[in-house]
Amino acid sequence: MKKLLIATLSTGLLLSANAQAEAPAAPAKAAMCVGCHAADGNSVVPNFPKLAGQHANYLEKQLKDFRDGFRKDATMATFAKGLTDAEIKELAAFYAAQTAK
Ligand code: HEC
């Protein structure tokens, strides 16, 4: 019984460690992006680009460019304008870690 309990507990720990390694928690600001880019960045609407699995450096640059006006898109400018460099880094890392579907 004790062995079973230990086995169950360690499996639980392993599972949660795996879940964390595979899917980092979505940053708070990702809630603003879900409607268009989907929760995991695999947008299903053709007008909205897929973000899942893109290189983090690329995503980071695009978000900064939208925010700072170097890449022009009225929609994305609205959503990028309030983001700090740190939030952009977090968002880019999150979408880069998702599996493209
Ligand atoms: C209302 C819909 C909408 C929302 C909400 C939105 N986006 Fe976008 N996003 C777009 C559209 C449309 C484009 C394509 C813009 C263009 O044509 O240049 C885009 C482009 C992008 C790109 C560039 C992708 C590429 O392949 O070059 C990134 C990165 C991005 N969005 C991230 C985000 C993030 C992060 C958020 C949340 C903070 C967000 N978007 C919220 C509609 C949206």
Side-chain angles (χ1 to χ4, degrees):
M1 185 62 197
K2 207 171 178 184
K3 267 191 186 153
L4 181 68
L5 184 68
I6 290 168
T8 312
L9 278 175
S10 49
T11 311
L13 282 175
L14 275 177
L15 284 178
S16 56
N18 268 345
Q20 262 186 351
E22 282 162 21
K29 291 287 162 103
M32 298 197 300
C33 326
V34 172
C36 296
H37 295 288
D40 63 353
N42 281 294
S43 153
V44 289
V45 181
N47 284 0
F48 305 139
K50 292 191 179 193
L51 309 178
Q54 294 260 34
H55 293 292
N57 283 357
Y58 174 77
L59 294 173
E60 188 177 343
K61 180 172 192 302
Q62 299 318 304
L63 283 167
K64 286 183 177 166
D65 283 355
F66 284 128
R67 181 191 65 188
D68 302 335
F70 296 113
R71 179 169 169 181
K72 308 249 181 247
D73 181 73
T75 305
M76 274 312 299
T78 306
F79 289 97
K81 84 173 172 228
L83 300 173
T84 64
D85 284 0
E87 287 168 340
I88 285 178
K89 218 175 195 29
E90 251 189 326
L91 286 163
F94 170 70
Y95 289 115
Q98 306 306 306
T99 306
K101 288 175 196 150

